[in-house]
mmCIF file of all heavy atoms in Angstrom:
data_model
loop_
_atom_site.group_PDB
_atom_site.id
_atom_site.type_symbol
_atom_site.label_atom_id
_atom_site.label_comp_id
_atom_site.label_asym_id
_atom_site.label_seq_id
_atom_site.Cartn_x
_atom_site.Cartn_y
_atom_site.Cartn_z
ATOM 1 N N PHE A 1 -5.166 -17.177 22.254
ATOM 2 C CA PHE A 1 -6.509 -17.133 22.857
ATOM 3 C C PHE A 1 -7.583 -16.992 21.800
ATOM 4 O O PHE A 1 -8.625 -17.665 21.816
ATOM 5 C CB PHE A 1 -6.585 -15.994 23.869
ATOM 6 C CG PHE A 1 -7.918 -15.902 24.581
ATOM 7 C CD1 PHE A 1 -8.200 -16.712 25.676
ATOM 8 C CD2 PHE A 1 -8.878 -15.026 24.124
ATOM 9 C CE1 PHE A 1 -9.440 -16.622 26.319
ATOM 10 C CE2 PHE A 1 -10.117 -14.932 24.754
ATOM 11 C CZ PHE A 1 -10.385 -15.722 25.855
ATOM 12 N N SER A 2 -7.332 -16.100 20.824
ATOM 13 C CA SER A 2 -8.324 -15.832 19.762
ATOM 14 C C SER A 2 -8.543 -17.076 18.919
ATOM 15 O O SER A 2 -9.675 -17.378 18.503
ATOM 16 C CB SER A 2 -7.848 -14.666 18.906
ATOM 17 O OG SER A 2 -8.689 -14.483 17.796
ATOM 18 N N TYR A 3 -7.462 -17.833 18.630
ATOM 19 C CA TYR A 3 -7.569 -19.032 17.786
ATOM 20 C C TYR A 3 -8.436 -20.105 18.478
ATOM 21 O O TYR A 3 -9.329 -20.689 17.870
ATOM 22 C CB TYR A 3 -6.188 -19.550 17.492
ATOM 23 C CG TYR A 3 -6.145 -20.581 16.375
ATOM 24 C CD1 TYR A 3 -6.854 -20.397 15.198
ATOM 25 C CD2 TYR A 3 -5.391 -21.739 16.497
ATOM 26 C CE1 TYR A 3 -6.813 -21.343 14.174
ATOM 27 C CE2 TYR A 3 -5.316 -22.689 15.486
ATOM 28 C CZ TYR A 3 -6.062 -22.487 14.327
ATOM 29 O OH TYR A 3 -6.007 -23.424 13.303
ATOM 30 N N PHE A 4 -8.154 -20.302 19.779
ATOM 31 C CA PHE A 4 -8.976 -21.251 20.527
ATOM 32 C C PHE A 4 -10.418 -20.780 20.657
ATOM 33 O O PHE A 4 -11.371 -21.558 20.525
ATOM 34 C CB PHE A 4 -8.376 -21.504 21.910
ATOM 35 C CG PHE A 4 -7.297 -22.547 21.947
ATOM 36 C CD1 PHE A 4 -5.958 -22.181 21.825
ATOM 37 C CD2 PHE A 4 -7.609 -23.877 22.061
ATOM 38 C CE1 PHE A 4 -4.953 -23.132 21.831
ATOM 39 C CE2 PHE A 4 -6.613 -24.850 22.078
ATOM 40 C CZ PHE A 4 -5.285 -24.484 21.956
ATOM 41 N N LEU A 5 -10.579 -19.461 20.874
ATOM 42 C CA LEU A 5 -11.916 -18.903 21.025
ATOM 43 C C LEU A 5 -12.734 -19.080 19.720
ATOM 44 O O LEU A 5 -13.954 -19.329 19.765
ATOM 45 C CB LEU A 5 -11.839 -17.430 21.399
ATOM 46 C CG LEU A 5 -13.178 -16.702 21.590
ATOM 47 C CD1 LEU A 5 -13.996 -17.367 22.715
ATOM 48 C CD2 LEU A 5 -12.969 -15.222 21.870
ATOM 49 N N ALA A 6 -12.050 -18.953 18.568
ATOM 50 C CA ALA A 6 -12.742 -19.112 17.299
ATOM 51 C C ALA A 6 -13.323 -20.529 17.177
ATOM 52 O O ALA A 6 -14.464 -20.683 16.713
ATOM 53 C CB ALA A 6 -11.779 -18.838 16.144
ATOM 54 N N TYR A 7 -12.587 -21.519 17.639
ATOM 55 C CA TYR A 7 -13.107 -22.894 17.622
ATOM 56 C C TYR A 7 -14.243 -23.056 18.636
ATOM 57 O O TYR A 7 -15.245 -23.728 18.360
ATOM 58 C CB TYR A 7 -11.990 -23.902 17.901
ATOM 59 C CG TYR A 7 -11.195 -24.278 16.683
ATOM 60 C CD1 TYR A 7 -10.056 -23.555 16.332
ATOM 61 C CD2 TYR A 7 -11.589 -25.329 15.872
ATOM 62 C CE1 TYR A 7 -9.315 -23.889 15.201
ATOM 63 C CE2 TYR A 7 -10.872 -25.670 14.744
ATOM 64 C CZ TYR A 7 -9.722 -24.946 14.413
ATOM 65 O OH TYR A 7 -8.999 -25.292 13.274
ATOM 66 N N PHE A 8 -14.105 -22.438 19.804
ATOM 67 C CA PHE A 8 -15.174 -22.507 20.809
ATOM 68 C C PHE A 8 -16.465 -21.903 20.252
ATOM 69 O O PHE A 8 -17.552 -22.472 20.419
ATOM 70 C CB PHE A 8 -14.749 -21.763 22.081
ATOM 71 C CG PHE A 8 -14.008 -22.620 23.078
ATOM 72 C CD1 PHE A 8 -12.652 -22.487 23.262
ATOM 73 C CD2 PHE A 8 -14.702 -23.580 23.817
ATOM 74 C CE1 PHE A 8 -11.969 -23.280 24.158
ATOM 75 C CE2 PHE A 8 -14.013 -24.375 24.713
ATOM 76 C CZ PHE A 8 -12.651 -24.225 24.884
ATOM 77 N N LEU A 9 -16.337 -20.753 19.623
ATOM 78 C CA LEU A 9 -17.541 -20.111 19.060
ATOM 79 C C LEU A 9 -18.117 -20.920 17.912
ATOM 80 O O LEU A 9 -19.348 -21.000 17.745
ATOM 81 C CB LEU A 9 -17.181 -18.692 18.583
ATOM 82 C CG LEU A 9 -16.770 -17.687 19.671
ATOM 83 C CD1 LEU A 9 -16.322 -16.383 19.042
ATOM 84 C CD2 LEU A 9 -17.941 -17.439 20.645
ATOM 85 N N ARG A 10 -17.230 -21.514 17.104
ATOM 86 C CA ARG A 10 -17.707 -22.294 15.965
ATOM 87 C C ARG A 10 -18.492 -23.518 16.419
ATOM 88 O O ARG A 10 -19.508 -23.903 15.800
ATOM 89 C CB ARG A 10 -16.487 -22.717 15.132
ATOM 90 C CG ARG A 10 -16.774 -23.753 14.050
ATOM 91 C CD ARG A 10 -17.727 -23.260 12.978
ATOM 92 N NE ARG A 10 -17.935 -24.245 11.960
ATOM 93 C CZ ARG A 10 -18.763 -25.268 12.024
ATOM 94 N NH1 ARG A 10 -19.479 -25.471 13.175
ATOM 95 N NH2 ARG A 10 -18.902 -26.119 11.026
ATOM 96 N N PHE A 11 -18.053 -24.169 17.517
ATOM 97 C CA PHE A 11 -18.692 -25.406 17.986
ATOM 98 C C PHE A 11 -19.490 -25.198 19.278
ATOM 99 O O PHE A 11 -19.619 -26.107 20.090
ATOM 100 C CB PHE A 11 -17.637 -26.494 18.180
ATOM 101 C CG PHE A 11 -16.989 -26.928 16.895
ATOM 102 C CD1 PHE A 11 -15.688 -26.534 16.579
ATOM 103 C CD2 PHE A 11 -17.673 -27.715 15.976
ATOM 104 C CE1 PHE A 11 -15.083 -26.925 15.402
ATOM 105 C CE2 PHE A 11 -17.060 -28.102 14.801
ATOM 106 C CZ PHE A 11 -15.774 -27.723 14.501
ATOM 107 N N ASN A 12 -19.992 -23.955 19.476
ATOM 108 C CA ASN A 12 -20.847 -23.672 20.628
ATOM 109 C C ASN A 12 -20.205 -24.057 21.966
ATOM 110 O O ASN A 12 -20.803 -24.697 22.829
ATOM 111 C CB ASN A 12 -22.214 -24.384 20.481
ATOM 112 C CG ASN A 12 -22.986 -23.886 19.288
ATOM 113 O OD1 ASN A 12 -22.984 -22.688 18.989
ATOM 114 N ND2 ASN A 12 -23.617 -24.805 18.574
ATOM 115 N N PHE A 13 -18.906 -23.641 22.086
ATOM 116 C CA PHE A 13 -18.142 -23.799 23.352
ATOM 117 C C PHE A 13 -17.914 -25.272 23.723
ATOM 118 O O PHE A 13 -17.752 -25.600 24.897
ATOM 119 C CB PHE A 13 -18.813 -23.065 24.511
ATOM 120 C CG PHE A 13 -18.874 -21.570 24.267
ATOM 121 C CD1 PHE A 13 -20.004 -20.977 23.704
ATOM 122 C CD2 PHE A 13 -17.797 -20.787 24.584
ATOM 123 C CE1 PHE A 13 -20.054 -19.613 23.484
ATOM 124 C CE2 PHE A 13 -17.829 -19.407 24.363
ATOM 125 C CZ PHE A 13 -18.950 -18.814 23.801
ATOM 126 N N SER A 14 -17.894 -26.143 22.744
ATOM 127 C CA SER A 14 -17.573 -27.555 23.015
ATOM 128 C C SER A 14 -16.815 -28.088 21.805
ATOM 129 O O SER A 14 -17.406 -28.554 20.815
ATOM 130 C CB SER A 14 -18.849 -28.358 23.241
ATOM 131 O OG SER A 14 -18.538 -29.730 23.463
ATOM 132 N N ILE A 15 -15.470 -28.002 21.843
ATOM 133 C CA ILE A 15 -14.647 -28.420 20.710
ATOM 134 C C ILE A 15 -14.577 -29.948 20.669
ATOM 135 O O ILE A 15 -14.162 -30.578 21.644
ATOM 136 C CB ILE A 15 -13.226 -27.825 20.829
ATOM 137 C CG1 ILE A 15 -13.282 -26.313 20.925
ATOM 138 C CG2 ILE A 15 -12.388 -28.256 19.628
ATOM 139 C CD1 ILE A 15 -11.927 -25.652 21.126
ATOM 140 N N PRO A 16 -14.970 -30.569 19.558
ATOM 141 C CA PRO A 16 -14.845 -32.017 19.443
ATOM 142 C C PRO A 16 -13.381 -32.437 19.558
ATOM 143 O O PRO A 16 -12.466 -31.701 19.135
ATOM 144 C CB PRO A 16 -15.392 -32.310 18.033
ATOM 145 C CG PRO A 16 -16.293 -31.141 17.740
ATOM 146 C CD PRO A 16 -15.654 -29.979 18.403
ATOM 147 N N GLU A 17 -13.131 -33.628 20.128
ATOM 148 C CA GLU A 17 -11.774 -34.077 20.377
ATOM 149 C C GLU A 17 -10.924 -34.177 19.101
ATOM 150 O O GLU A 17 -9.725 -33.957 19.115
ATOM 151 C CB GLU A 17 -11.809 -35.465 21.054
ATOM 152 C CG GLU A 17 -12.367 -35.417 22.467
ATOM 153 C CD GLU A 17 -12.283 -36.780 23.143
ATOM 154 O OE1 GLU A 17 -11.716 -37.709 22.530
ATOM 155 O OE2 GLU A 17 -12.787 -36.912 24.280
ATOM 156 N N GLY A 18 -11.551 -34.481 17.998
ATOM 157 C CA GLY A 18 -10.785 -34.642 16.765
ATOM 158 C C GLY A 18 -10.145 -33.343 16.241
ATOM 159 O O GLY A 18 -9.228 -33.402 15.418
ATOM 160 N N TYR A 19 -10.606 -32.221 16.747
ATOM 161 C CA TYR A 19 -10.094 -30.955 16.249
ATOM 162 C C TYR A 19 -8.891 -30.454 17.043
ATOM 163 O O TYR A 19 -8.146 -29.599 16.573
ATOM 164 C CB TYR A 19 -11.177 -29.883 16.278
ATOM 165 C CG TYR A 19 -12.178 -30.042 15.152
ATOM 166 C CD1 TYR A 19 -13.384 -30.721 15.365
ATOM 167 C CD2 TYR A 19 -11.918 -29.538 13.885
ATOM 168 C CE1 TYR A 19 -14.314 -30.882 14.350
ATOM 169 C CE2 TYR A 19 -12.841 -29.684 12.855
ATOM 170 C CZ TYR A 19 -14.035 -30.369 13.092
ATOM 171 O OH TYR A 19 -14.927 -30.522 12.086
ATOM 172 N N LEU A 20 -8.724 -30.929 18.266
ATOM 173 C CA LEU A 20 -7.604 -30.462 19.086
ATOM 174 C C LEU A 20 -6.246 -30.708 18.436
ATOM 175 O O LEU A 20 -5.374 -29.824 18.446
ATOM 176 C CB LEU A 20 -7.679 -31.060 20.467
ATOM 177 C CG LEU A 20 -8.818 -30.563 21.355
ATOM 178 C CD1 LEU A 20 -8.858 -31.307 22.686
ATOM 179 C CD2 LEU A 20 -8.648 -29.053 21.613
ATOM 180 N N PRO A 21 -5.992 -31.890 17.856
ATOM 181 C CA PRO A 21 -4.695 -32.106 17.198
ATOM 182 C C PRO A 21 -4.469 -31.121 16.034
ATOM 183 O O PRO A 21 -3.347 -30.639 15.834
ATOM 184 C CB PRO A 21 -4.773 -33.530 16.675
ATOM 185 C CG PRO A 21 -5.762 -34.199 17.583
ATOM 186 C CD PRO A 21 -6.780 -33.157 17.888
ATOM 187 N N LEU A 22 -5.555 -30.800 15.283
ATOM 188 C CA LEU A 22 -5.409 -29.845 14.208
ATOM 189 C C LEU A 22 -5.029 -28.451 14.729
ATOM 190 O O LEU A 22 -4.215 -27.738 14.133
ATOM 191 C CB LEU A 22 -6.707 -29.763 13.409
ATOM 192 C CG LEU A 22 -7.095 -30.989 12.584
ATOM 193 C CD1 LEU A 22 -8.449 -30.783 11.932
ATOM 194 C CD2 LEU A 22 -6.044 -31.253 11.504
ATOM 195 N N ILE A 23 -5.628 -28.104 15.844
ATOM 196 C CA ILE A 23 -5.342 -26.786 16.427
ATOM 197 C C ILE A 23 -3.867 -26.679 16.803
ATOM 198 O O ILE A 23 -3.158 -25.722 16.461
ATOM 199 C CB ILE A 23 -6.219 -26.537 17.661
ATOM 200 C CG1 ILE A 23 -7.687 -26.445 17.240
ATOM 201 C CG2 ILE A 23 -5.783 -25.257 18.374
ATOM 202 C CD1 ILE A 23 -8.666 -26.314 18.413
ATOM 203 N N PHE A 24 -3.366 -27.711 17.516
ATOM 204 C CA PHE A 24 -1.973 -27.657 17.973
ATOM 205 C C PHE A 24 -0.961 -27.770 16.820
ATOM 206 O O PHE A 24 0.119 -27.213 16.863
ATOM 207 C CB PHE A 24 -1.737 -28.766 19.007
ATOM 208 C CG PHE A 24 -2.380 -28.485 20.329
ATOM 209 C CD1 PHE A 24 -3.496 -29.211 20.751
ATOM 210 C CD2 PHE A 24 -1.891 -27.482 21.147
ATOM 211 C CE1 PHE A 24 -4.089 -28.955 21.978
ATOM 212 C CE2 PHE A 24 -2.484 -27.218 22.374
ATOM 213 C CZ PHE A 24 -3.581 -27.946 22.787
ATOM 214 N N LYS A 25 -1.346 -28.503 15.744
ATOM 215 C CA LYS A 25 -0.454 -28.603 14.594
ATOM 216 C C LYS A 25 -0.366 -27.301 13.806
ATOM 217 O O LYS A 25 0.689 -26.938 13.277
ATOM 218 C CB LYS A 25 -0.919 -29.726 13.665
ATOM 219 C CG LYS A 25 -0.678 -31.145 14.188
ATOM 220 C CD LYS A 25 -1.182 -32.156 13.185
ATOM 221 C CE LYS A 25 -0.954 -33.586 13.692
ATOM 222 N NZ LYS A 25 -1.462 -34.603 12.743
ATOM 223 N N SER A 26 -1.482 -26.597 13.721
ATOM 224 C CA SER A 26 -1.525 -25.376 12.903
ATOM 225 C C SER A 26 -1.124 -24.121 13.683
ATOM 226 O O SER A 26 -0.815 -23.101 13.088
ATOM 227 C CB SER A 26 -2.927 -25.189 12.303
ATOM 228 O OG SER A 26 -3.898 -25.101 13.343
ATOM 229 N N LEU A 27 -1.147 -24.192 15.004
ATOM 230 C CA LEU A 27 -0.847 -23.024 15.828
ATOM 231 C C LEU A 27 0.535 -22.429 15.558
ATOM 232 O O LEU A 27 0.676 -21.206 15.457
ATOM 233 C CB LEU A 27 -1.005 -23.362 17.318
ATOM 234 C CG LEU A 27 -0.930 -22.165 18.283
ATOM 235 C CD1 LEU A 27 -1.977 -21.120 17.944
ATOM 236 C CD2 LEU A 27 -1.100 -22.656 19.720
ATOM 237 N N PRO A 28 1.606 -23.240 15.407
ATOM 238 C CA PRO A 28 2.913 -22.633 15.098
ATOM 239 C C PRO A 28 2.926 -21.832 13.797
ATOM 240 O O PRO A 28 3.587 -20.783 13.704
ATOM 241 C CB PRO A 28 3.839 -23.870 15.028
ATOM 242 C CG PRO A 28 3.182 -24.886 15.863
ATOM 243 C CD PRO A 28 1.731 -24.698 15.668
ATOM 244 N N LEU A 29 2.207 -22.344 12.801
ATOM 245 C CA LEU A 29 2.107 -21.568 11.530
ATOM 246 C C LEU A 29 1.434 -20.238 11.748
ATOM 247 O O LEU A 29 1.865 -19.215 11.239
ATOM 248 C CB LEU A 29 1.352 -22.385 10.480
ATOM 249 C CG LEU A 29 2.078 -23.620 9.905
ATOM 250 C CD1 LEU A 29 1.125 -24.401 9.012
ATOM 251 C CD2 LEU A 29 3.297 -23.184 9.128
ATOM 252 N N LEU A 30 0.351 -20.266 12.533
ATOM 253 C CA LEU A 30 -0.366 -19.022 12.807
ATOM 254 C C LEU A 30 0.527 -18.015 13.533
ATOM 255 O O LEU A 30 0.567 -16.840 13.178
ATOM 256 C CB LEU A 30 -1.617 -19.334 13.646
ATOM 257 C CG LEU A 30 -2.463 -18.105 14.063
ATOM 258 C CD1 LEU A 30 -3.038 -17.428 12.838
ATOM 259 C CD2 LEU A 30 -3.576 -18.535 15.022
ATOM 260 N N LEU A 31 1.222 -18.478 14.553
ATOM 261 C CA LEU A 31 2.108 -17.577 15.312
ATOM 262 C C LEU A 31 3.217 -17.020 14.422
ATOM 263 O O LEU A 31 3.560 -15.826 14.517
ATOM 264 C CB LEU A 31 2.728 -18.327 16.492
ATOM 265 C CG LEU A 31 1.758 -18.663 17.651
ATOM 266 C CD1 LEU A 31 2.451 -19.595 18.643
ATOM 267 C CD2 LEU A 31 1.284 -17.404 18.330
ATOM 268 N N PHE A 32 3.773 -17.837 13.552
ATOM 269 C CA PHE A 32 4.855 -17.377 12.679
ATOM 270 C C PHE A 32 4.377 -16.297 11.735
ATOM 271 O O PHE A 32 4.995 -15.215 11.630
ATOM 272 C CB PHE A 32 5.421 -18.567 11.869
ATOM 273 C CG PHE A 32 6.410 -18.139 10.851
ATOM 274 C CD1 PHE A 32 7.717 -17.813 11.188
ATOM 275 C CD2 PHE A 32 6.041 -18.061 9.497
ATOM 276 C CE1 PHE A 32 8.632 -17.422 10.231
ATOM 277 C CE2 PHE A 32 6.958 -17.676 8.545
ATOM 278 C CZ PHE A 32 8.264 -17.348 8.910
ATOM 279 N N PHE A 33 3.261 -16.554 11.033
ATOM 280 C CA PHE A 33 2.792 -15.585 10.052
ATOM 281 C C PHE A 33 2.248 -14.313 10.714
ATOM 282 O O PHE A 33 2.401 -13.211 10.182
ATOM 283 C CB PHE A 33 1.726 -16.202 9.149
ATOM 284 C CG PHE A 33 2.298 -17.210 8.182
ATOM 285 C CD1 PHE A 33 1.931 -18.545 8.217
ATOM 286 C CD2 PHE A 33 3.212 -16.810 7.210
ATOM 287 C CE1 PHE A 33 2.467 -19.465 7.348
ATOM 288 C CE2 PHE A 33 3.748 -17.728 6.316
ATOM 289 C CZ PHE A 33 3.392 -19.052 6.383
ATOM 290 N N ARG A 34 1.603 -14.457 11.874
ATOM 291 C CA ARG A 34 1.116 -13.263 12.578
ATOM 292 C C ARG A 34 2.310 -12.415 13.038
ATOM 293 O O ARG A 34 2.296 -11.191 12.875
ATOM 294 C CB ARG A 34 0.293 -13.700 13.788
ATOM 295 C CG ARG A 34 -1.130 -14.132 13.413
ATOM 296 C CD ARG A 34 -2.049 -12.906 13.355
ATOM 297 N NE ARG A 34 -3.262 -13.220 12.604
ATOM 298 C CZ ARG A 34 -4.314 -13.902 13.091
ATOM 299 N NH1 ARG A 34 -4.275 -14.343 14.339
ATOM 300 N NH2 ARG A 34 -5.372 -14.135 12.345
ATOM 301 N N ALA A 35 3.326 -13.044 13.634
ATOM 302 C CA ALA A 35 4.488 -12.293 14.108
ATOM 303 C C ALA A 35 5.187 -11.578 12.961
ATOM 304 O O ALA A 35 5.586 -10.417 13.055
ATOM 305 C CB ALA A 35 5.462 -13.223 14.832
ATOM 306 N N ALA A 36 5.327 -12.297 11.824
ATOM 307 C CA ALA A 36 5.994 -11.681 10.661
ATOM 308 C C ALA A 36 5.213 -10.474 10.154
ATOM 309 O O ALA A 36 5.798 -9.426 9.851
ATOM 310 C CB ALA A 36 6.134 -12.725 9.541
ATOM 311 N N SER A 37 3.895 -10.584 10.066
ATOM 312 C CA SER A 37 3.092 -9.475 9.589
ATOM 313 C C SER A 37 3.091 -8.317 10.599
ATOM 314 O O SER A 37 3.070 -7.143 10.207
ATOM 315 C CB SER A 37 1.651 -9.931 9.296
ATOM 316 O OG SER A 37 1.037 -10.431 10.469
ATOM 317 N N PHE A 38 3.114 -8.634 11.916
ATOM 318 C CA PHE A 38 3.143 -7.580 12.927
ATOM 319 C C PHE A 38 4.420 -6.761 12.805
ATOM 320 O O PHE A 38 4.401 -5.528 12.898
ATOM 321 C CB PHE A 38 3.045 -8.185 14.326
ATOM 322 C CG PHE A 38 1.690 -8.771 14.645
ATOM 323 C CD1 PHE A 38 1.505 -9.590 15.744
ATOM 324 C CD2 PHE A 38 0.597 -8.540 13.832
ATOM 325 C CE1 PHE A 38 0.262 -10.143 16.039
ATOM 326 C CE2 PHE A 38 -0.638 -9.089 14.096
ATOM 327 C CZ PHE A 38 -0.800 -9.896 15.196
ATOM 328 N N PHE A 39 5.547 -7.441 12.615
ATOM 329 C CA PHE A 39 6.805 -6.712 12.484
ATOM 330 C C PHE A 39 6.881 -5.982 11.147
ATOM 331 O O PHE A 39 7.479 -4.902 11.053
ATOM 332 C CB PHE A 39 8.000 -7.667 12.631
ATOM 333 C CG PHE A 39 8.326 -7.997 14.052
ATOM 334 C CD1 PHE A 39 7.954 -9.211 14.607
ATOM 335 C CD2 PHE A 39 8.999 -7.075 14.839
ATOM 336 C CE1 PHE A 39 8.254 -9.503 15.944
ATOM 337 C CE2 PHE A 39 9.337 -7.350 16.152
ATOM 338 C CZ PHE A 39 8.946 -8.568 16.721
ATOM 339 N N LEU A 40 6.282 -6.567 10.101
ATOM 340 C CA LEU A 40 6.289 -5.912 8.783
ATOM 341 C C LEU A 40 5.566 -4.576 8.833
ATOM 342 O O LEU A 40 5.989 -3.592 8.233
ATOM 343 C CB LEU A 40 5.631 -6.836 7.738
ATOM 344 C CG LEU A 40 5.546 -6.294 6.319
ATOM 345 C CD1 LEU A 40 6.931 -6.050 5.754
ATOM 346 C CD2 LEU A 40 4.767 -7.228 5.434
ATOM 347 N N PHE A 41 4.464 -4.523 9.568
ATOM 348 C CA PHE A 41 3.658 -3.295 9.672
ATOM 349 C C PHE A 41 4.060 -2.468 10.911
ATOM 350 O O PHE A 41 3.327 -1.556 11.275
ATOM 351 C CB PHE A 41 2.184 -3.612 9.686
ATOM 352 C CG PHE A 41 1.633 -3.983 8.352
ATOM 353 C CD1 PHE A 41 1.566 -5.308 7.928
ATOM 354 C CD2 PHE A 41 1.218 -2.991 7.457
ATOM 355 C CE1 PHE A 41 1.065 -5.670 6.685
ATOM 356 C CE2 PHE A 41 0.722 -3.318 6.206
ATOM 357 C CZ PHE A 41 0.655 -4.651 5.824
ATOM 358 N N ARG A 42 5.166 -2.817 11.552
ATOM 359 C CA ARG A 42 5.750 -2.011 12.634
ATOM 360 C C ARG A 42 4.763 -1.725 13.739
ATOM 361 O O ARG A 42 4.587 -0.580 14.156
ATOM 362 C CB ARG A 42 6.297 -0.699 12.057
ATOM 363 C CG ARG A 42 7.343 -0.901 10.960
ATOM 364 C CD ARG A 42 7.846 0.401 10.425
ATOM 365 N NE ARG A 42 8.562 1.153 11.447
ATOM 366 C CZ ARG A 42 9.034 2.384 11.256
ATOM 367 N NH1 ARG A 42 8.866 2.981 10.108
ATOM 368 N NH2 ARG A 42 9.670 3.002 12.235
ATOM 369 N N LEU A 43 4.111 -2.767 14.221
ATOM 370 C CA LEU A 43 3.177 -2.559 15.331
ATOM 371 C C LEU A 43 3.884 -2.229 16.642
ATOM 372 O O LEU A 43 3.254 -1.789 17.594
ATOM 373 C CB LEU A 43 2.316 -3.818 15.527
ATOM 374 C CG LEU A 43 1.405 -4.232 14.385
ATOM 375 C CD1 LEU A 43 0.398 -5.266 14.879
ATOM 376 C CD2 LEU A 43 0.671 -3.045 13.790
#
């Protein structure tokens, strides 16, 4: 939710179509590194 919201805020709540593929391609990387850091710091 936060990742999508960041794009919404960046583009005044209207994400250009060209950015959606980038979001979906990079989202798995974000989830992986966030999960790894969460477990590393024992959240």
Side-chain angles (χ1 to χ4, degrees):
F1 181 82
S2 173
Y3 193 45
F4 276 93
L5 180 61
Y7 276 91
F8 272 106
L9 294 175
R10 170 63 178 80
F11 294 105
N12 297 320
F13 297 95
S14 179
I15 303 176
E17 292 184 4
Y19 284 96
L20 289 175
L22 291 176
I23 295 175
F24 287 109
K25 287 181 181 179
S26 58
L27 188 58
L29 289 173
L30 177 63
L31 289 171
F32 173 77
F33 288 117
R34 282 274 162 79
S37 61
F38 291 167
F39 279 102
L40 179 63
F41 284 93
R42 302 179 65 185
L43 297 194

